Amino acid sequence: MDIPKSNEQNIPRLRNLHPSQFSYGALSNADEEYGTPVDSFPTSGNGSFSERVGSFVHSYSRTSMNFMAENVAVTPNTHEMNDGLSIYSEHRRASHDAQSVVTRTFSRKSGFSQMERPSLYFSQLDQVLSRHSTIADVQSLLVHDVAPLKKSSFSQSIFNSINILMGVGIIALPMGFRCAGWLFGILVFVFCCALTNHTAKLLAKCLETDSEAKTYGDLGALTFGNKGRIGVTIIFITELMTSSVALVVLLGDGIEILCPSWSLEKVRLVSYCMLTPMLFLPVRHLSYTSILGIMSAFCILIVLIFDGLSKSDAPGSLITPAPTTVMPLDWTTVPLSFGLFMASFAGHAVFPTVYRDMEDPKQFRYMVNVTYLVTTFVYFGVGACGYMMFGSGTMQEITQNLTSVPAYSQALNRFALLVIAVNPIAKYGLNMNPINLTWQLWLCRSPRWEMWFHEHDWLEPFVAFIGKLTASGVIVLLAYMVPEFHRLMGLLGAFFSFVISGIFPLVCHFHLFGATLSATDKLIDGILLTVASFMCVTGTLASFLS
């Protein structure tokens, strides 16, 4: 579908604008308007130490900001598709708080002064409002990300991947071993690790079939047509909502540990008051806090080992481990472990971005192997140490066990708890931003709302403010209705992680390369697909029934 023509003839029209592909040099006034020549940015390996650090920080913040958002499509509504987007206004305005998306209807009977002419900023926004664009495209423009984005080095790509993979699900890994026992726990853990490592490489192989394919939505369109793109968007929006609920529950559990006398209602109310302001902060600033993911993961591992070695008797000791079982004590809890383990490897949404952003994409397979070597070591260390220390008494979050043992260093454990508690606060805004941008774009692209916003300057910020408060309220309400963290992580892992990180890449691979695959490759992928589908169904049911 063609984008409506703009009076700004010097602005290129791109079918699928992507932050890492944005041609800033094509903007004739880029240097004058933003004051930074394209050639002034150092390439990898050059420049001072501070410049290299700045490049590293910008790389991981960019990846964190667009994680998930790249897989939420911006699709024209039915009215726009029928009218060829002719209803779009010739004049648009965007507030510069980097959070609101506003479109204004232009009155054909009246003109605008020179001060009201369309800005370069919103002419760029017009580019991303195409049927192939994503929320990440809109995000990158709303944060004024106009600096030329150079590719990420090998080490930066590893760091970005590890930082995304290591999420809050790590604290539920000991619970996974408790549900499955050592034998099945290790088998499920190894299977999830091997499956996601294999499918990450398949994603890169599938992306190579189309140079313009950059996201999960593009792969969905290649495999299933436009319905595939819409389906991917629905899945990712639902996962963002579910993971946001999990963040609220995690923060609430931390508050309960600090204030055990508080009721669940009071905890959720305090959580709402702490998390909702994050929705009004610039997403660029929030993206820098994503480094807390990798910090909290290593922090938990270090604290577990230190506490385990500082105590000589069970429970809570690595010197004298608590009683554990080789086989599961309750076979009905084994499917719950599928989701708990798989949730820890749920970072495939970032791999298309990392692949397209690498200086040398040929190193992608090696980069994936190094990433999984590090994450597997940390994951297994936390899961195994936690289960060894507390056995059948392992709680849904290992941090709850750590704070319940008086013999431990309370200062150290409270620091670990603080790091875990800050993580949801930092990530809540990043999680909710694609959701808020989606409903804002849908609302603001309605001709009636455009007219209302044009006629009443106060209406747009008021609607945005009330809408964000309401969206956060819905998430907190869901967290009140489903207060068990392990059930939420089980659902995230069993359904969303298996579908996104396991089943979807295998199906795309079969569709795109089925005719050229060897019998061995077909057998391997067929077995993986069958086992992953079985674990997805049984694990999802277990998360609802547990």
Side-chain angles (χ1 to χ4, degrees), residues 313-379:
D313 57 324
S317 173
L318 288 173
I319 300 174
T320 307
T324 57
T325 60
V326 175
M327 305 297 288
L329 292 175
D330 184 359
W331 286 91
T332 61
T333 63
V334 174
L336 185 61
S337 70
F338 300 163
L340 295 177
F341 286 126
M342 190 65 175
S344 299
F345 295 100
H348 275 46
V350 77
F351 282 128
T353 303
V354 172
Y355 175 73
R356 290 299 187 194
D357 197 42
M358 288 187 70
E359 288 178 338
D360 184 7
K362 294 180 181 179
Q363 292 185 304
F364 180 78
R365 295 176 65 90
Y366 181 51
M367 185 278 299
V368 170
N369 289 336
V370 175
T371 297
Y372 269 78
L373 181 65
V374 175
T375 54
T376 301
F377 171 78
V378 177
Y379 286 162

Side-chain angles (χ1 to χ4, degrees), residues 4 94 144 172-173 184 190 201 217 326 330 334 337 384 405 421 452 499 511:
H144 308 289
L173 286 175
F184 284 93
V190 171
K201 297 168 184 175
V326 175
D330 184 359
V334 174
S337 70
V405 180
W452 288 343
V499 170
H511 177 81

Side-chain angles (χ1 to χ4, degrees), residues 417-491:
L417 180 63
L418 178 63
V419 172
I420 295 295
V422 170
N423 212 8
I425 298 176
K427 291 191 173 183
Y428 188 73
L430 286 174
N431 263 30
M432 291 294 292
N433 195 61
I435 299 174
N436 285 324
L437 284 179
T438 298
W439 70 256
Q440 284 181 273
L441 280 170
W442 175 83
L443 187 67
C444 294
R445 295 169 74 187
S446 165
R448 179 175 298 179
W449 280 98
E450 282 188 324
M451 182 64 73
W452 288 343
F453 289 152
H454 175 63
E455 294 174 348
H456 307 285
D457 288 340
W458 58 269
L459 185 59
E460 178 271 328
F462 178 76
V463 170
F465 179 77
I466 297 300
K468 290 178 180 180
L469 293 180
T470 304
S472 186
V474 170
I475 295 298
V476 174
L477 178 61
L478 291 173
Y480 175 76
M481 298 170 62
V482 187
E484 295 88 1
F485 181 76
H486 69 287
R487 287 181 60 188
L488 289 167
M489 293 310 303
L491 176 61

Side-chain angles (χ1 to χ4, degrees), residues 33-350:
E33 187 154 351
Y34 298 107
T36 307
V38 172
D39 296 336
S40 67
F41 287 82
T43 57
S44 298
N46 299 324
S48 65
F49 175 76
S50 61
E51 289 173 333
R52 290 196 295 269
V53 171
S55 173
F56 200 90
V57 172
H58 185 73
S59 175
Y60 90 76
S61 66
R62 179 173 76 242
T63 303
S64 301
M65 185 179 70
N66 292 330
F67 174 60
M68 289 293 194
E70 281 194 323
N71 302 292
V72 180
V74 178
T75 55
N77 57 42
T78 303
H79 182 72
E80 290 162 354
M81 293 179 70
N82 292 337
D83 293 347
L85 295 177
S86 62
I87 195 65
Y88 270 125
S89 60
E90 298 174 29
H91 173 71
R92 297 174 180 270
R93 178 183 66 85
S95 61
H96 289 269
D97 62 354
Q99 290 296 306
S100 60
V101 177
V102 185
T103 56
R104 298 293 185 97
T105 299
F106 178 74
S107 173
R108 300 180 185 273
K109 297 182 180 180
S110 62
F112 286 92
S113 67
Q114 190 70 14
M115 293 294 292
E116 295 171 312
R117 61 189 295 273
S119 65
L120 176 65
Y121 166 74
F122 226 101
S123 297
Q124 292 173 354
L125 185 57
D126 278 337
Q127 297 176 52
V128 303
L129 297 182
S130 72
R131 65 189 299 178
H132 299 289
S133 300
T134 68
I135 291 297
D137 300 330
V138 180
Q139 250 182 189
S140 65
L141 295 174
L142 291 179
V143 299
H144 308 289
D145 193 8
V146 297
L149 303 179
K150 56 185 175 298
K151 300 290 186 177
S152 296
S153 66
F154 180 75
S155 59
Q156 287 174 342
S157 299
I158 291 176
F159 183 86
N160 293 339
S161 301
I162 293 175
N163 190 45
I164 295 296
L165 279 174
M166 289 188 176
V168 295
I170 191 172
I171 63 177
L173 286 175
M175 182 69 177
F177 281 104
R178 173 192 164 184
C179 293
W182 283 116
L183 178 61
F184 284 93
I186 293 176
L187 289 176
V188 173
F189 182 87
V190 171
F191 175 81
C192 292
C193 177
L195 171 68
T196 52
N197 180 283
H198 176 64
T199 55
K201 297 168 184 175
L202 293 185
L203 284 175
K205 182 179 177 182
C206 293
L207 288 172
E208 291 171 356
T209 62
D210 186 348
S211 60
E212 293 186 339
K214 301 174 180 68
T215 68
Y216 260 77
D218 293 333
L219 291 179
L222 285 173
T223 307
F224 303 105
N226 194 51
K227 292 182 179 179
R229 189 185 302 276
I230 296 174
V232 167
T233 296
I234 294 173
I235 290 175
F236 274 94
I237 284 288
T238 309
E239 182 182 9
L240 282 169
M241 293 180 65
T242 308
S243 60
S244 297
V245 174
L247 291 175
V248 175
V249 172
L250 180 60
L251 176 61
D253 291 343
I255 294 174
E256 286 181 345
I257 293 175
L258 297 175
C259 306
S261 62
W262 286 10
S263 64
L264 181 61
E265 292 80 5
K266 187 174 182 180
V267 169
R268 291 294 180 263
L269 180 60
V270 172
S271 299
Y272 177 80
C273 295
M274 294 176 65
L275 293 173
T276 303
M278 299 298 105
L279 306 185
F280 299 92
L281 296 180
V283 68
R284 167 61 72 195
H285 297 165
L286 290 173
S287 65
Y288 293 117
T289 64
S290 63
I291 197 173
L292 288 171
I294 194 170
M295 289 177 58
S296 61
F298 280 98
C299 178
I300 288 296
L301 178 60
I302 293 172
V303 170
L304 270 174
I305 295 175
F306 181 86
D307 285 344
L309 295 178
S310 66
K311 194 170 184 289
S312 59
D313 57 324
S317 173
L318 288 173
I319 300 174
T320 307
T324 57
T325 60
V326 175
M327 305 297 288
L329 292 175
D330 184 359
W331 286 91
T332 61
T333 63
V334 174
L336 185 61
S337 70
F338 300 163
L340 295 177
F341 286 126
M342 190 65 175
S344 299
F345 295 100
H348 275 46
V350 77

